[in-house]
Amino acid sequence: MTFTLTMLALAAAITFFMAGFQGLLVPLNQGIAWGLGARDEGKDVSALQGRAARCVANQIENMAVFVPLVLVAHLAGLQTAMVEFGAALFVAARLAFFVFYWLGVPVLRSLAWLVGVIAMILVAIPVFGAGIYAL
């Protein structure tokens, strides 16, 4: 497996962990019976649950961009230092984002998000450069 696909697998693992963490908060805050039920009646969520839900939503939005970029780079044979660095930086930034968001650290959370966006741009540059060159 290539380095970029390994980073993609790690990003998927982080997403899975985030969603699992969010799910584990339900029985702790709303109770097991409510969590296993139909959840027809709403229950108040804790601040941590709210942050976890927003964090998962943000991760899914970022994965919707990162996954195709990495797959196109892989399929096009673009295993460049920039692509690999961008993929690794994305994984590190998203992990930091999760921790900072979970702990409620506002400025560092936003900086980690920005680093993740820059990381995706680093992967996108060779991808779109190769696509334009192919035209």
Side-chain angles (χ1 to χ4, degrees):
M1 182 162 34
T2 65
F3 181 80
T4 52
L5 289 182
T6 300
M7 293 300 103
L8 182 57
L10 285 173
I14 291 168
T15 306
F16 181 79
F17 179 79
M18 286 178 177
F21 176 76
Q22 177 190 3
L24 287 175
L25 293 174
V26 170
L28 296 175
N29 291 289
Q30 283 77 27
I32 293 174
W34 185 84
L36 295 175
R39 301 183 186 186
D40 290 333
E41 73 284 348
K43 289 230 178 184
D44 290 334
V45 297
S46 69
L48 181 58
Q49 280 180 293
R51 285 195 302 267
R54 291 187 300 276
C55 190
V56 169
N58 187 272
Q59 179 71 2
I60 291 169
E61 291 167 3
N62 278 268
M63 291 293 282
V65 176
F66 180 69
V67 170
L69 284 173
V70 168
L71 291 177
V72 169
H74 174 75
L75 292 172
L78 299 172
Q79 301 305 315
T80 67
M82 182 184 286
V83 169
E84 290 181 353
F85 178 71
L89 185 62
F90 178 83
V91 170
R94 295 310 299 176
L95 187 58
F97 178 84
F98 170 66
V99 171
F100 293 143
Y101 212 138
W102 178 58
L103 295 175
V105 182
V107 175
L108 293 178
R109 180 203 76 212
S110 297
L111 287 174
W113 175 86
L114 180 60
V115 170
V117 170
I118 291 168
M120 287 190 285
I121 291 169
L122 291 175
V123 175
I125 289 171
V127 167
F128 288 107
I132 291 170
Y133 179 73
L135 293 176

